[in-house]
Amino acid sequence: SQTIHQWPATLVQPVGSPLSLECTVEGTSNPNLYWYRQAAGRGLQLLFYSVGIGQISSEVPQNLSASRPQDRQFILSSKKLLLSDSGFYLCAWSVLGSGGSKETQYFGPGTRLLVL
Amino acid sequence: AQTVTQSQPEMSVQEAETVTLSCTYDTSESDYYLFWYKQPPSRQMILVIRQEAYKQQNATENRFSVNFQKAAKSFSLKISDSQLGDAAMYFCAYRSARWGSNYKLTFGKGTLLTVNP
């Protein structure tokens, strides 16, 4: 069965410091991968998605970036964190389903990021 | 752009009873997918149920079922025999089935469900 891992689970970082969040998926191949952010008391906002190695699409222009160095690895980065980057970051994956597309997304446990 | 509206910020239900959570959406597309996700205090998003718009039959998953009204653009979630473990934030989400769409899930703002013993 497929599993998805995210680390770290919790992170407290000072403003201006770099960031690297990692997501890996096991038990599947060629998944679509996604990064979402959830601010306190709000719904989820798609930040990046990837349909393959090295293929990244950005939904929201900001100081974050994403990379996919391997088929089942997705990394969210920043060179300099802002206070507004605080939030809950969720990685998700999808594979070809009964609907004929990679329509159903499954989420990881998330990373709580607090920027001080 | 598609929007998803959950008009009930909070709901409560007695254990073993039934509760219905509302969701409406706005789209000009005819083919799409709808989902309900559950987010317990751990904050991991858990898929509860999904519906393909081209299917008229309402999806069911054990105690969870939906009432999908395509013309009304309504997608409500019914939880039967509510259990304490059902307490969570519930999110309704929309995804276009259009080829070349950006795979984005558009979420509502959520409904916080409390289950009373």
Side-chain angles (χ1 to χ4, degrees), chain B:
Chain B
Q2 295 85 11
T3 58
V4 177
T5 302
Q6 294 179 248
S7 59
Q8 307 152 316
E10 297 184 24
M11 291 281 286
S12 64
V13 63
Q14 290 297 124
E15 197 175 2
E17 295 190 347
T18 296
V19 64
T20 299
L21 308 184
S22 301
C23 173
T24 58
Y25 56 95
D26 185 26
T27 183
S28 59
E29 299 178 335
S30 60
D31 199 12
Y32 47 87
Y33 303 93
L34 295 165
F35 305 87
W36 279 99
Y37 284 89
K38 167 185 175 181
Q39 189 176 40
S42 68
R43 298 192 73 180
Q44 180 165 6
M45 296 287 282
I46 301 167
L47 177 69
V48 175
I49 201 165
R50 76 169 212 176
Q51 175 82 41
E52 292 94 337
Y54 63 85
K55 290 186 177 179
Q56 293 186 340
Q57 186 174 7
N58 289 324
T60 62
E61 285 288 345
N62 300 314
R63 298 183 294 108
F64 298 87
S65 62
V66 299
N67 183 6
F68 173 48
Q69 301 289 329
K70 191 172 184 179
K73 297 181 182 176
S74 170
F75 183 60
S76 61
L77 175 69
K78 185 171 82 170
I79 306 174
S80 304
D81 186 24
S82 297
Q83 300 175 1
L84 295 177
D86 295 333
M89 183 73 85
Y90 286 81
F91 290 95
C92 178
Y94 170 102
R95 183 196 179 281
S96 170
R98 179 172 52 87
W99 179 258
S101 67
N102 63 6
Y103 308 97
K104 179 171 111 176
L105 281 175
T106 300
F107 286 86
K109 293 188 183 300
T111 296
L112 180 63
L113 178 66
T114 302
V115 181
N116 301 310

Side-chain angles (χ1 to χ4, degrees), chain A:
Chain A
S1 63
Q2 300 92 349
T3 56
I4 179 169
H5 304 280
Q6 285 187 247
W7 62 88
T10 304
L11 192 59
V12 180
Q13 291 284 94
V15 169
S17 64
L19 173 74
S20 181
L21 303 181
E22 190 167 340
C23 168
T24 58
V25 181
E26 296 177 355
T28 188
S29 60
N30 193 31
N32 284 1
L33 297 172
Y34 313 83
W35 278 112
Y36 287 87
R37 177 169 60 199
Q38 184 178 32
R42 303 182 68 176
L44 274 70
Q45 178 188 40
L46 179 65
L47 301 175
F48 301 94
Y49 69 94
S50 171
V51 299
I53 296 174
Q55 301 178 61
I56 308 295
S57 296
S58 173
E59 285 295 299
V60 182
Q62 56 203 329
N63 69 319
L64 297 172
S65 62
S67 62
R68 186 169 176 175
Q70 300 179 41
D71 181 46
R72 290 167 287 180
Q73 183 184 32
F74 205 23
I75 297 172
L76 183 68
S77 304
S78 174
K79 292 182 179 178
K80 287 186 177 181
L81 282 168
L82 306 173
L83 287 174
S84 57
D85 291 325
S86 292
F88 189 60
Y89 289 81
L90 286 150
C91 181
W93 63 273
S94 65
V95 291
L96 201 62
S98 59
S101 69
K102 299 178 179 179
E103 69 276 6
T104 302
Q105 296 180 23
Y106 301 91
F107 288 81
T111 294
R112 293 172 177 78
L113 172 66
L114 179 60
V115 182
L116 300 175

